[in-house]
Amino acid sequence: MRTLGLVFGTLACAATVFAPVAFAAENPLKLWYNSDAGTSFTDALPIGNGYMGGIVYGGVAKDIIGLNESTVWSGGPGDNNKQGAASHLKDARDAMFRGDYRTAESIVSNYMIGPGPASFQPVGDLVITTSHSGATNYRRELDLKTAIAKTTYTAGGVNYTREYFASYPDHVIVVHLTADKSGSVSFGATMTTPHRSNSMSSSGNTLVYDVTVNSIKFQNRLNVVADGGTVSVANGKINVQGANSAMLVLTTATNFKSYNDVSGNPGAIATEIMSKVAKKSYDDLLSAHLKDYQTIFNRVSLNLGEPDKSAGDITSTRVKNFNSTNDPSLVELHYQFGRYLLISSSRKGGQPANLQGIWNKDTNPVWGSKYTTNINLEMNYWPVETANLGECVWPLIDKIKSMVPQGEKTAKVHWGVDEGWVEHHNTDLWNRTAPIDGAWGLWPTGAGWLSTHLWEHFLFNPTDKAYLQDVYSTMKGAALFFVNSLVEEPETGNKYLVTAPSDSPENDHGGYNVCFGPTMDNQIIRDVLNYTIEASKILGVDEEARAKMEAVVKRLPPTKTGKYGQITEWLQDWDDPNNKNRHISHLYGLFPSAQITPEETPDLIKGAGVTLKQRGDDATGWSLAWKINFWARMHDGDHAYTMIRMLLTPNKTYNNLFDSHPPFQIDGNFGAVSGVNEMLMQSHNNRINLLPALPSQWKDGSIKGIRARGGFEIDSMAWKGGKLTYVAIKSDVGQTLNIVNGSNKFTTTTVPGKVYEFDGNLKLTNQPYEPVTIPGKIQAESYVAMEGVQIEPDEEGEPNLGWINDGDYSEYLVKVPTAGSYKLTARVASGAEEKSTITVADSTGKALATLTVDPAKTEDWNDWYETSTAIDLPKGEQKLKFTYSGMSDYLMNVDWYSFESDPTAIPTVVRAASALSVRQVSMARASVALMVNADGDFEVRLYTANGNMVAKRQGSGNSLVEFGKNGRLLQGTYIAVVKSGNLQKTLKIKAY
């Protein structure tokens, strides 16, 4: 019971063959709570517009909205290079190459590490105060479908509502205060900051707050618009009394223009923003916000099965109980929350999402809330392409490009390299690129890893050569750094080119960090060189540089396994099987790269499995997220789901669903989104693999809107009982489509903008079919619609229907020239113990005939026999539905159905081989060549995968039929329909 097969034709079926699967009614995508956040940052609810972040605590008497702006950082322009570092390279290398790692580490620590970078800073707080006490009916929520946070409560018999959102189009944060009783809205509003250099002023109904943090100057402007009541501004506070409703509008602007330019005028910028929104009502601002946000967010819908009865519980309770409920709707909420966070923290014009996205309350945040480039910044953007968040990638792309000048300085100062740029394991607003912290910071592969993201964006948009031209020099610079800095290692005898010194991120061997040629470096360098080589070919440039890169690639150390069967983390086999380090850097080649795959490198896949088991499952939040992706690439959905279960616990996920390292670190949120996408669809190495790691917990479900490399979008996909039932794939740019599900495969050229629909056997359904004329024979796999059945090869490789369960069906389009009684015969086989039946019905559901499959007449799934019955058919074209029924787990296999005009005829012995056979043969002079063996005349029609007829040929007996002999066919999949008398064969073939 296996797979394969396809059928096409020319006559369109009147009824819809396969309608897109209806997605289940979506549970409200809301985080909600029945108490305020108090002073807990990880209980508060985040809002953001890519420029500004807000964290809403939701207090009744005192409501705090913590504020951030993406360019408010400590420090200022300049580099953090350690002058003279390159002069110590030789001594460090010599020490390592003779095995003296203690001396090498001392040299690196003392002479080659620069000062730490800057840290992301809070702007301060927006504080709203009321006289309300004894509130009841309290509720606080964040609606992911609208990106609106809301606080509601009852006080003094009045129901109060506060709504908060951050608008990207208008560059503001909005707070709307309403009540269900006129004249009940009264409050005070002010701003605070932890930074000492500040001054507050006012202008009309607007508070103006000017603050300085080192080189950054910023201005907050807070305006109020009230409906009714009175408004006054005094002593740095806005007071509203007796209004029907009121709207607070806040913006923050800074003097930051680029990493080396802080000459902007924050006051002028803030004034211009507020003057534009002054003419807009709350409804205007809300409408613009919703249109912008929902255009992005609504692209993807996820349904992982029936929600648990606990789905309506308070969000923190759902996380606490997830390991007992396994509620799929919580996974959906967590997934969409991750998408929400990236939309909120990364938009064109702002900075990339940092370690905490765009939300930070501390002036001395853990790890500086900066950009850590040995995993964390990259993980932030793993889902950006697959989760259909293309607008959110631009801050990262712009950031990488802007890092080149600083990286070129560091390459020169630290590595003596005059051509190329480098980034180590941390950077900041000022694009500092030198190694920091200690010997573990001397990791020169950050620019290489970041540059792979530039190529990834092109893979998802493969016809955008203008984009590729724009980023090519950045990729080339990262590649050339390695061409010019790698050295020949003396240890293996293979004279590999390696990084030296370096480290395997945040791990040590025998107590030392420094090493040469760690596995992660080799894998990243292989990627960035190969990607740059390919980009140069596409753009037709840099043949000389390309040749240098190609020469280096050939001398990189290969990924290998060690004495425990594990992927070795270092060039040497130093791995400790008891090491549980959260970093599993040497599996970069498994994910996010695709150098290690089950299809191409099965031995390395085994080694990756050993490594993952050695490191164990438990880890920090972000590491668990990485492991979801790892196990998905291993095609082990149940183990990937185990990682999700471990992530969705109070120890790893805070009450507001922020990821816990601990403390809060946002990369785990983003990595988990990527992991779910990888479980449901993978698109590396020029193929789209559907449901490659579906866990048993998600046996029924659907998803729509995720994107695949090659410029494809999963318009919708559904599965039932753990098996694919339907997928529609949209081709954005017309690339060749290669899809895989289990052993089913399909390849075709595509048309830009067209949607290609497939059933669970990867058989195209949205295309015309040619009816089989009765009397005649129908190959069982030549259905026009089906439910549950799978196409599989028999022992001779011929396709048939298998894996048939009770209630499954297949439908066939037939043309009956003459009404009458016919003999219906089915060629079947079965290994079941119980009898089963095949009921034939017309399009109205009326039963026309029943065939019985008797296991006493067949011993196994390839022991074929024929069963027959009479059937009355009216004249004309019609669709017949064959429904399979029985008590066994699997009922039968079906090879073909035949209709004979004489129902009383005694059947002759059927030959094992049909009177019509067709096979594709290889012919150098033709695109497609078929060998047809027929008892008489035949006709061959060749169709594209879209159902368009390319050509037809006629012949007789045993003949060779060629297509594309004079003028070759386009490469891709074609369908050949061969008819001889009442016999028909359909083949899926490839043209080369």
Side-chain angles (χ1 to χ4, degrees), residues 771-799:
V772 174
T773 301
I774 301 301
K777 180 181 285 186
I778 304 173
Q779 299 298 318
E781 70 275 8
S782 297
Y783 57 76
V784 297
M786 69 86 182
E787 172 75 26
V789 302
Q790 295 188 40
I791 300 173
E792 64 173 19
D794 62 18
E795 290 180 334
E796 297 178 356
E798 292 294 320

PDB file of all heavy atoms in Angstrom, residues 771-799:
ATOM      1  N   PRO A 771     -13.848  12.098 -20.567  1.00  0.00           N
ATOM      2  CA  PRO A 771     -14.590  10.935 -20.091  1.00  0.00           C
ATOM      3  C   PRO A 771     -14.174   9.668 -20.837  1.00  0.00           C
ATOM      4  O   PRO A 771     -13.739   9.719 -21.987  1.00  0.00           O
ATOM      5  CB  PRO A 771     -16.043  11.298 -20.401  1.00  0.00           C
ATOM      6  CG  PRO A 771     -15.948  12.232 -21.566  1.00  0.00           C
ATOM      7  CD  PRO A 771     -14.685  13.010 -21.348  1.00  0.00           C
ATOM      8  N   VAL A 772     -14.293   8.545 -20.151  1.00  0.00           N
ATOM      9  CA  VAL A 772     -14.029   7.255 -20.770  1.00  0.00           C
ATOM     10  C   VAL A 772     -15.330   6.772 -21.420  1.00  0.00           C
ATOM     11  O   VAL A 772     -16.389   6.764 -20.784  1.00  0.00           O
ATOM     12  CB  VAL A 772     -13.539   6.236 -19.733  1.00  0.00           C
ATOM     13  CG1 VAL A 772     -13.408   4.847 -20.354  1.00  0.00           C
ATOM     14  CG2 VAL A 772     -12.212   6.682 -19.147  1.00  0.00           C
ATOM     15  N   THR A 773     -15.250   6.394 -22.683  1.00  0.00           N
ATOM     16  CA  THR A 773     -16.433   5.943 -23.397  1.00  0.00           C
ATOM     17  C   THR A 773     -16.770   4.507 -23.012  1.00  0.00           C
ATOM     18  O   THR A 773     -15.893   3.632 -22.962  1.00  0.00           O
ATOM     19  CB  THR A 773     -16.213   6.043 -24.919  1.00  0.00           C
ATOM     20  OG1 THR A 773     -15.935   7.407 -25.249  1.00  0.00           O
ATOM     21  CG2 THR A 773     -17.457   5.594 -25.679  1.00  0.00           C
ATOM     22  N   ILE A 774     -18.055   4.279 -22.723  1.00  0.00           N
ATOM     23  CA  ILE A 774     -18.552   2.953 -22.342  1.00  0.00           C
ATOM     24  C   ILE A 774     -19.190   2.299 -23.570  1.00  0.00           C
ATOM     25  O   ILE A 774     -19.992   2.956 -24.258  1.00  0.00           O
ATOM     26  CB  ILE A 774     -19.584   3.084 -21.205  1.00  0.00           C
ATOM     27  CG1 ILE A 774     -18.960   3.764 -19.982  1.00  0.00           C
ATOM     28  CG2 ILE A 774     -20.163   1.721 -20.830  1.00  0.00           C
ATOM     29  CD1 ILE A 774     -17.787   3.064 -19.403  1.00  0.00           C
ATOM     30  N   PRO A 775     -18.905   1.036 -23.903  1.00  0.00           N
ATOM     31  CA  PRO A 775     -18.056   0.091 -23.154  1.00  0.00           C
ATOM     32  C   PRO A 775     -16.581   0.528 -23.149  1.00  0.00           C
ATOM     33  O   PRO A 775     -16.105   1.122 -24.110  1.00  0.00           O
ATOM     34  CB  PRO A 775     -18.233  -1.235 -23.907  1.00  0.00           C
ATOM     35  CG  PRO A 775     -19.429  -1.049 -24.766  1.00  0.00           C
ATOM     36  CD  PRO A 775     -19.513   0.394 -25.091  1.00  0.00           C
ATOM     37  N   GLY A 776     -15.905   0.193 -22.077  1.00  0.00           N
ATOM     38  CA  GLY A 776     -14.501   0.549 -21.967  1.00  0.00           C
ATOM     39  C   GLY A 776     -13.946   0.202 -20.602  1.00  0.00           C
ATOM     40  O   GLY A 776     -14.651  -0.306 -19.724  1.00  0.00           O
ATOM     41  N   LYS A 777     -12.666   0.463 -20.444  1.00  0.00           N
ATOM     42  CA  LYS A 777     -11.976   0.159 -19.191  1.00  0.00           C
ATOM     43  C   LYS A 777     -11.467   1.459 -18.566  1.00  0.00           C
ATOM     44  O   LYS A 777     -10.955   2.332 -19.273  1.00  0.00           O
ATOM     45  CB  LYS A 777     -10.815  -0.797 -19.439  1.00  0.00           C
ATOM     46  CG  LYS A 777     -10.031  -1.173 -18.170  1.00  0.00           C
ATOM     47  CD  LYS A 777      -8.870  -2.096 -18.483  1.00  0.00           C
ATOM     48  CE  LYS A 777      -9.346  -3.496 -18.768  1.00  0.00           C
ATOM     49  NZ  LYS A 777      -8.219  -4.451 -18.932  1.00  0.00           N
ATOM     50  N   ILE A 778     -11.600   1.548 -17.264  1.00  0.00           N
ATOM     51  CA  ILE A 778     -11.122   2.714 -16.510  1.00  0.00           C
ATOM     52  C   ILE A 778     -10.022   2.252 -15.568  1.00  0.00           C
ATOM     53  O   ILE A 778     -10.243   1.346 -14.755  1.00  0.00           O
ATOM     54  CB  ILE A 778     -12.250   3.363 -15.685  1.00  0.00           C
ATOM     55  CG1 ILE A 778     -13.432   3.737 -16.570  1.00  0.00           C
ATOM     56  CG2 ILE A 778     -11.726   4.578 -14.939  1.00  0.00           C
ATOM     57  CD1 ILE A 778     -14.634   4.220 -15.780  1.00  0.00           C
ATOM     58  N   GLN A 779      -8.859   2.865 -15.673  1.00  0.00           N
ATOM     59  CA  GLN A 779      -7.825   2.610 -14.674  1.00  0.00           C
ATOM     60  C   GLN A 779      -8.291   3.216 -13.343  1.00  0.00           C
ATOM     61  O   GLN A 779      -8.752   4.349 -13.289  1.00  0.00           O
ATOM     62  CB  GLN A 779      -6.496   3.225 -15.099  1.00  0.00           C
ATOM     63  CG  GLN A 779      -5.955   2.660 -16.399  1.00  0.00           C
ATOM     64  CD  GLN A 779      -5.668   1.169 -16.321  1.00  0.00           C
ATOM     65  OE1 GLN A 779      -5.140   0.686 -15.325  1.00  0.00           O
ATOM     66  NE2 GLN A 779      -6.019   0.446 -17.369  1.00  0.00           N
ATOM     67  N   ALA A 780      -8.196   2.466 -12.267  1.00  0.00           N
ATOM     68  CA  ALA A 780      -8.759   2.908 -10.986  1.00  0.00           C
ATOM     69  C   ALA A 780      -8.175   4.237 -10.521  1.00  0.00           C
ATOM     70  O   ALA A 780      -8.848   5.038  -9.868  1.00  0.00           O
ATOM     71  CB  ALA A 780      -8.541   1.835  -9.924  1.00  0.00           C
ATOM     72  N   GLU A 781      -6.914   4.475 -10.871  1.00  0.00           N
ATOM     73  CA  GLU A 781      -6.280   5.728 -10.436  1.00  0.00           C
ATOM     74  C   GLU A 781      -6.679   6.922 -11.296  1.00  0.00           C
ATOM     75  O   GLU A 781      -6.288   8.051 -10.996  1.00  0.00           O
ATOM     76  CB  GLU A 781      -4.750   5.570 -10.442  1.00  0.00           C
ATOM     77  CG  GLU A 781      -4.115   5.478 -11.818  1.00  0.00           C
ATOM     78  CD  GLU A 781      -4.103   4.083 -12.391  1.00  0.00           C
ATOM     79  OE1 GLU A 781      -4.728   3.180 -11.791  1.00  0.00           O
ATOM     80  OE2 GLU A 781      -3.453   3.881 -13.444  1.00  0.00           O
ATOM     81  N   SER A 782      -7.484   6.687 -12.344  1.00  0.00           N
ATOM     82  CA  SER A 782      -7.871   7.774 -13.241  1.00  0.00           C
ATOM     83  C   SER A 782      -9.158   8.453 -12.778  1.00  0.00           C
ATOM     84  O   SER A 782     -10.018   8.811 -13.576  1.00  0.00           O
ATOM     85  CB  SER A 782      -8.043   7.245 -14.668  1.00  0.00           C
ATOM     86  OG  SER A 782      -6.825   6.746 -15.166  1.00  0.00           O
ATOM     87  N   TYR A 783      -9.314   8.620 -11.480  1.00  0.00           N
ATOM     88  CA  TYR A 783     -10.505   9.257 -10.939  1.00  0.00           C
ATOM     89  C   TYR A 783     -10.508  10.752 -11.210  1.00  0.00           C
ATOM     90  O   TYR A 783      -9.468  11.349 -11.508  1.00  0.00           O
ATOM     91  CB  TYR A 783     -10.619   8.992  -9.437  1.00  0.00           C
ATOM     92  CG  TYR A 783      -9.410   9.447  -8.645  1.00  0.00           C
ATOM     93  CD1 TYR A 783      -9.185  10.785  -8.353  1.00  0.00           C
ATOM     94  CD2 TYR A 783      -8.469   8.519  -8.184  1.00  0.00           C
ATOM     95  CE1 TYR A 783      -8.084  11.207  -7.637  1.00  0.00           C
ATOM     96  CE2 TYR A 783      -7.354   8.929  -7.464  1.00  0.00           C
ATOM     97  CZ  TYR A 783      -7.174  10.275  -7.193  1.00  0.00           C
ATOM     98  OH  TYR A 783      -6.073  10.695  -6.487  1.00  0.00           O
ATOM     99  N   VAL A 784     -11.684  11.361 -11.067  1.00  0.00           N
ATOM    100  CA  VAL A 784     -11.783  12.817 -11.164  1.00  0.00           C
ATOM    101  C   VAL A 784     -11.939  13.450  -9.781  1.00  0.00           C
ATOM    102  O   VAL A 784     -11.773  14.653  -9.617  1.00  0.00           O
ATOM    103  CB  VAL A 784     -12.956  13.253 -12.070  1.00  0.00           C
ATOM    104  CG1 VAL A 784     -12.730  12.775 -13.482  1.00  0.00           C
ATOM    105  CG2 VAL A 784     -14.302  12.774 -11.532  1.00  0.00           C
ATOM    106  N   ALA A 785     -12.283  12.635  -8.792  1.00  0.00           N
ATOM    107  CA  ALA A 785     -12.368  13.089  -7.404  1.00  0.00           C
ATOM    108  C   ALA A 785     -12.268  11.870  -6.505  1.00  0.00           C
ATOM    109  O   ALA A 785     -12.547  10.742  -6.926  1.00  0.00           O
ATOM    110  CB  ALA A 785     -13.678  13.837  -7.149  1.00  0.00           C
ATOM    111  N   MET A 786     -11.859  12.095  -5.259  1.00  0.00           N
ATOM    112  CA  MET A 786     -11.729  10.967  -4.343  1.00  0.00           C
ATOM    113  C   MET A 786     -11.741  11.473  -2.916  1.00  0.00           C
ATOM    114  O   MET A 786     -11.578  12.664  -2.640  1.00  0.00           O
ATOM    115  CB  MET A 786     -10.436  10.189  -4.618  1.00  0.00           C
ATOM    116  CG  MET A 786      -9.155  10.912  -4.272  1.00  0.00           C
ATOM    117  SD  MET A 786      -8.666  10.721  -2.547  1.00  0.00           S
ATOM    118  CE  MET A 786      -7.174  11.730  -2.492  1.00  0.00           C
ATOM    119  N   GLU A 787     -11.909  10.549  -1.998  1.00  0.00           N
ATOM    120  CA  GLU A 787     -11.766  10.806  -0.569  1.00  0.00           C
ATOM    121  C   GLU A 787     -11.065   9.619   0.048  1.00  0.00           C
ATOM    122  O   GLU A 787     -11.568   8.484  -0.002  1.00  0.00           O
ATOM    123  CB  GLU A 787     -13.141  11.005   0.087  1.00  0.00           C
ATOM    124  CG  GLU A 787     -13.114  11.086   1.612  1.00  0.00           C
ATOM    125  CD  GLU A 787     -12.584  12.420   2.122  1.00  0.00           C
ATOM    126  OE1 GLU A 787     -12.702  13.411   1.388  1.00  0.00           O
ATOM    127  OE2 GLU A 787     -12.061  12.455   3.248  1.00  0.00           O
ATOM    128  N   GLY A 788      -9.886   9.828   0.594  1.00  0.00           N
ATOM    129  CA  GLY A 788      -9.205   8.807   1.385  1.00  0.00           C
ATOM    130  C   GLY A 788      -8.303   7.856   0.644  1.00  0.00           C
ATOM    131  O   GLY A 788      -7.275   7.447   1.168  1.00  0.00           O
ATOM    132  N   VAL A 789      -8.641   7.449  -0.570  1.00  0.00           N
ATOM    133  CA  VAL A 789      -7.844   6.440  -1.264  1.00  0.00           C
ATOM    134  C   VAL A 789      -6.482   6.990  -1.638  1.00  0.00           C
ATOM    135  O   VAL A 789      -6.304   8.207  -1.773  1.00  0.00           O
ATOM    136  CB  VAL A 789      -8.571   5.932  -2.529  1.00  0.00           C
ATOM    137  CG1 VAL A 789      -9.927   5.364  -2.173  1.00  0.00           C
ATOM    138  CG2 VAL A 789      -8.715   7.038  -3.568  1.00  0.00           C
ATOM    139  N   GLN A 790      -5.525   6.099  -1.805  1.00  0.00           N
ATOM    140  CA  GLN A 790      -4.189   6.502  -2.225  1.00  0.00           C
ATOM    141  C   GLN A 790      -3.774   5.703  -3.453  1.00  0.00           C
ATOM    142  O   GLN A 790      -4.174   4.547  -3.622  1.00  0.00           O
ATOM    143  CB  GLN A 790      -3.168   6.281  -1.101  1.00  0.00           C
ATOM    144  CG  GLN A 790      -3.407   7.159   0.111  1.00  0.00           C
ATOM    145  CD  GLN A 790      -2.275   7.046   1.112  1.00  0.00           C
ATOM    146  OE1 GLN A 790      -1.109   6.990   0.736  1.00  0.00           O
ATOM    147  NE2 GLN A 790      -2.613   7.000   2.389  1.00  0.00           N
ATOM    148  N   ILE A 791      -2.993   6.348  -4.304  1.00  0.00           N
ATOM    149  CA  ILE A 791      -2.459   5.680  -5.480  1.00  0.00           C
ATOM    150  C   ILE A 791      -1.120   5.049  -5.108  1.00  0.00           C
ATOM    151  O   ILE A 791      -0.276   5.693  -4.500  1.00  0.00           O
ATOM    152  CB  ILE A 791      -2.280   6.669  -6.641  1.00  0.00           C
ATOM    153  CG1 ILE A 791      -3.629   7.296  -6.997  1.00  0.00           C
ATOM    154  CG2 ILE A 791      -1.674   5.980  -7.851  1.00  0.00           C
ATOM    155  CD1 ILE A 791      -3.527   8.409  -8.017  1.00  0.00           C
ATOM    156  N   GLU A 792      -0.941   3.770  -5.472  1.00  0.00           N
ATOM    157  CA  GLU A 792       0.277   3.053  -5.124  1.00  0.00           C
ATOM    158  C   GLU A 792       0.664   2.129  -6.272  1.00  0.00           C
ATOM    159  O   GLU A 792      -0.190   1.757  -7.084  1.00  0.00           O
ATOM    160  CB  GLU A 792       0.078   2.242  -3.851  1.00  0.00           C
ATOM    161  CG  GLU A 792      -0.976   1.144  -4.010  1.00  0.00           C
ATOM    162  CD  GLU A 792      -1.045   0.225  -2.798  1.00  0.00           C
ATOM    163  OE1 GLU A 792      -0.566   0.625  -1.739  1.00  0.00           O
ATOM    164  OE2 GLU A 792      -1.539  -0.885  -2.936  1.00  0.00           O
ATOM    165  N   PRO A 793       1.932   1.747  -6.358  1.00  0.00           N
ATOM    166  CA  PRO A 793       2.339   0.793  -7.402  1.00  0.00           C
ATOM    167  C   PRO A 793       2.155  -0.648  -6.929  1.00  0.00           C
ATOM    168  O   PRO A 793       2.318  -0.943  -5.742  1.00  0.00           O
ATOM    169  CB  PRO A 793       3.814   1.124  -7.613  1.00  0.00           C
ATOM    170  CG  PRO A 793       4.260   1.629  -6.272  1.00  0.00           C
ATOM    171  CD  PRO A 793       3.082   2.319  -5.653  1.00  0.00           C
ATOM    172  N   ASP A 794       1.836  -1.537  -7.873  1.00  0.00           N
ATOM    173  CA  ASP A 794       1.796  -2.945  -7.523  1.00  0.00           C
ATOM    174  C   ASP A 794       3.193  -3.540  -7.652  1.00  0.00           C
ATOM    175  O   ASP A 794       4.190  -2.803  -7.808  1.00  0.00           O
ATOM    176  CB  ASP A 794       0.775  -3.696  -8.385  1.00  0.00           C
ATOM    177  CG  ASP A 794       1.122  -3.657  -9.880  1.00  0.00           C
ATOM    178  OD1 ASP A 794       2.280  -3.361 -10.225  1.00  0.00           O
ATOM    179  OD2 ASP A 794       0.213  -3.921 -10.698  1.00  0.00           O
ATOM    180  N   GLU A 795       3.293  -4.861  -7.611  1.00  0.00           N
ATOM    181  CA  GLU A 795       4.614  -5.497  -7.633  1.00  0.00           C
ATOM    182  C   GLU A 795       5.355  -5.242  -8.938  1.00  0.00           C
ATOM    183  O   GLU A 795       6.579  -5.304  -8.999  1.00  0.00           O
ATOM    184  CB  GLU A 795       4.455  -7.005  -7.412  1.00  0.00           C
ATOM    185  CG  GLU A 795       4.026  -7.353  -5.988  1.00  0.00           C
ATOM    186  CD  GLU A 795       3.865  -8.842  -5.787  1.00  0.00           C
ATOM    187  OE1 GLU A 795       3.602  -9.534  -6.792  1.00  0.00           O
ATOM    188  OE2 GLU A 795       4.019  -9.304  -4.647  1.00  0.00           O
ATOM    189  N   GLU A 796       4.600  -4.968 -10.028  1.00  0.00           N
ATOM    190  CA  GLU A 796       5.229  -4.696 -11.324  1.00  0.00           C
ATOM    191  C   GLU A 796       5.391  -3.199 -11.580  1.00  0.00           C
ATOM    192  O   GLU A 796       5.777  -2.794 -12.674  1.00  0.00           O
ATOM    193  CB  GLU A 796       4.385  -5.327 -12.431  1.00  0.00           C
ATOM    194  CG  GLU A 796       4.309  -6.840 -12.336  1.00  0.00           C
ATOM    195  CD  GLU A 796       3.426  -7.441 -13.420  1.00  0.00           C
ATOM    196  OE1 GLU A 796       2.827  -6.652 -14.183  1.00  0.00           O
ATOM    197  OE2 GLU A 796       3.354  -8.677 -13.509  1.00  0.00           O
ATOM    198  N   GLY A 797       5.095  -2.384 -10.562  1.00  0.00           N
ATOM    199  CA  GLY A 797       5.248  -0.944 -10.697  1.00  0.00           C
ATOM    200  C   GLY A 797       4.067  -0.234 -11.318  1.00  0.00           C
ATOM    201  O   GLY A 797       4.103   0.976 -11.519  1.00  0.00           O
ATOM    202  N   GLU A 798       2.984  -0.982 -11.637  1.00  0.00           N
ATOM    203  CA  GLU A 798       1.803  -0.365 -12.215  1.00  0.00           C
ATOM    204  C   GLU A 798       0.940   0.245 -11.115  1.00  0.00           C
ATOM    205  O   GLU A 798       0.734  -0.362 -10.063  1.00  0.00           O
ATOM    206  CB  GLU A 798       0.992  -1.407 -13.000  1.00  0.00           C
ATOM    207  CG  GLU A 798       1.693  -1.911 -14.257  1.00  0.00           C
ATOM    208  CD  GLU A 798       1.857  -0.806 -15.298  1.00  0.00           C
ATOM    209  OE1 GLU A 798       0.927  -0.007 -15.475  1.00  0.00           O
ATOM    210  OE2 GLU A 798       2.938  -0.752 -15.918  1.00  0.00           O
ATOM    211  N   PRO A 799       0.375   1.444 -11.349  1.00  0.00           N
ATOM    212  CA  PRO A 799      -0.401   2.102 -10.288  1.00  0.00           C
ATOM    213  C   PRO A 799      -1.769   1.466 -10.082  1.00  0.00           C
ATOM    214  O   PRO A 799      -2.378   0.930 -11.016  1.00  0.00           O
ATOM    215  CB  PRO A 799      -0.535   3.542 -10.802  1.00  0.00           C
ATOM    216  CG  PRO A 799      -0.413   3.429 -12.283  1.00  0.00           C
ATOM    217  CD  PRO A 799       0.535   2.300 -12.535  1.00  0.00           C
TER     218      PRO A 799
END
